[in-house]
């Protein structure tokens, strides 16, 4: 029993582990990406390359609508990286950027409507639906930030879309790859139940040959015309 319990992980622990893993991947990539682009493009950090869209959408597919908070947290984290490397930023500007990148990123939650009404299985099974789902999520973030910036007096700036096109392209590639990976775009409760059913089916004993069959001697004689031995 001790060995068995050591191998068993609860559903709650599995969920926490899965969510933490995605969070670590997202944070690590954002740090590397930000400083890499700052190095390659010097002080002109207008270009953005982020995996927030595919990570957020994967979490939403796997665990539900609250995966949108990954986009919010990523927006705040990216904003913090930018502000830490900028000089002369006032308190007002700090709050403005936090609202733009935090609240604006929350608009990706609208993409969960597609999960509710279309279903994750269709999104996962059809490549064109995967692409639409991914582009819609990316647009929700870009337009959300644009809308919040406009409300704060910055006007309708298209930079949130134009400078993030690389992220959109990579998000599509990542999601198309993930749809081929077993369970990556599947609701995890359904995925775990499916694995359990498959495990039980493999363990099921084949009853063939266990029940003895009585054969009438006359039938044996009819089959074996050479004698009593059927294999003679």
């Amino acid at each position: 029993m001790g060995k068995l319990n050591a191998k068993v992980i609860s559903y709650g622990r599995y969920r926490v582990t899965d969510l933490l893993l995605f969070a670590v991947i997202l944070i690590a990539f954002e740090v590397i990406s930000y400083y890499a682009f700052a190095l390659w493009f010097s002080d002109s950090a207008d270009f953005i390359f982020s995996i927030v869209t595919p990570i957020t959408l994967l979490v939403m597919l796997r665990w539900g609508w609250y995966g949108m908070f990954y986009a919010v947290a990523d927006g705040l984290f990216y904003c913090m990286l930018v502000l830490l490397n900028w000089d002369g930023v006032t308190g007002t500007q700090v709050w403005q950027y936090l609202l733009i990148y935090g609240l604006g990123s929350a608009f990706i939650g609208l993409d969960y409507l597609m999960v509710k009404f279309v279903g994750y299985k269709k999104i996962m099974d059809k490549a064109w639906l995967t692409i639409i789902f991914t582009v819609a999520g990316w647009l929700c973030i870009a337009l959300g930030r644009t809308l919040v910036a406009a409300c704060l007096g910055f006007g309708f700036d298209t930079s949130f879309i134009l400078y993030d096109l690389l992220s959109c392209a990579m998000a599509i590639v990542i999601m198309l790859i993930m749809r081929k990976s077993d369970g990556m775009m599947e609701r995890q409760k359904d995925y775990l139940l499916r694995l359990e059913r498959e495990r039980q089916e493999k363990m099921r004993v084949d009853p063939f040959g266990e029940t003895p069959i009585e054969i009438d001697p006359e039938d044996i004689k009819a089959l074996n015309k050479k004698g009593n031995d059927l294999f003679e």
Side-chain angles (χ1 to χ4, degrees):
M1 291 298 292
K3 292 184 178 179
L4 180 61
N5 290 333
K7 295 181 180 179
V8 173
I9 181 172
S10 66
Y11 178 74
R13 183 175 296 180
Y14 171 78
R15 178 172 57 186
V16 171
T17 303
D18 192 69
L19 293 173
L20 283 176
L21 181 60
F22 277 104
V24 169
I25 293 173
L26 182 59
I27 292 174
F29 187 90
E30 290 295 348
V31 173
I32 295 172
S33 175
Y34 176 81
Y35 285 105
F37 267 77
L39 177 63
W40 294 337
F41 297 101
S42 186
D43 294 330
S44 179
D46 292 332
F47 296 97
I48 301 171
F49 179 42
S50 173
I51 60 170
V52 61
T53 298
I55 291 292
T56 300
L57 295 180
L58 285 173
V59 174
M60 288 171 62
L61 288 169
R62 292 164 72 89
W63 298 108
W65 64 270
Y66 50 85
M68 61 174 276
F69 291 114
Y70 275 69
V72 175
D74 176 82
L76 296 175
F77 183 72
Y78 173 79
C79 186
M80 181 188 70
L81 290 176
V82 173
L83 294 174
L84 286 176
N85 290 276
W86 280 7
D87 296 326
V89 180
T90 65
T92 302
Q93 289 176 318
V94 170
W95 285 108
Q96 287 175 336
Y97 281 107
L98 288 175
L99 286 173
I100 291 172
Y101 285 92
L103 183 59
S105 300
F107 278 68
I108 197 174
L110 295 173
D111 205 24
Y112 188 70
L113 294 174
M114 187 172 175
V115 181
K116 292 293 292 183
F117 292 105
V118 177
Y120 77 84
K121 292 183 179 180
K122 289 184 178 180
I123 295 174
M124 177 178 60
D125 292 339
K126 299 183 182 298
W128 64 274
L129 280 177
T130 301
I131 295 174
I132 291 176
F133 180 64
T134 305
V135 174
W138 174 80
L139 276 176
C140 284
I141 293 179
L143 294 177
R145 292 174 178 175
T146 301
L147 181 60
V148 174
C151 293
L152 293 175
F154 289 94
F156 287 92
D157 190 358
T158 59
S159 61
F160 291 105
I161 297 177
L162 296 178
Y163 295 141
D164 202 27
L165 289 175
L166 180 58
S167 297
C168 180
M170 289 305 300
I172 293 174
V173 173
I174 292 172
M175 292 295 285
L176 288 176
I177 294 175
M178 291 297 101
R179 65 181 290 268
K180 294 294 185 179
S181 301
D182 184 38
M184 284 301 298
M185 293 179 63
E186 191 172 355
R187 194 170 72 120
Q188 290 304 282
K189 181 177 290 188
D190 295 345
Y191 172 66
L192 295 174
L193 290 174
R194 177 170 64 82
L195 288 182
E196 180 62 19
R197 287 195 301 268
E198 292 175 354
R199 186 185 68 85
Q200 292 179 358
E201 288 176 0
K202 289 181 180 179
M203 294 177 61
R204 187 175 301 163
V205 179
D206 186 0
F208 181 78
E210 291 187 354
T211 304
I213 302 175
E214 294 184 0
I215 303 178
D216 187 37
E218 296 296 329
D219 294 333
I220 295 179
K221 290 181 180 180
L223 291 172
N224 186 11
K225 297 181 180 180
K226 293 184 179 180
N228 293 327
D229 188 356
L230 183 63
F231 301 97
E232 181 176 304

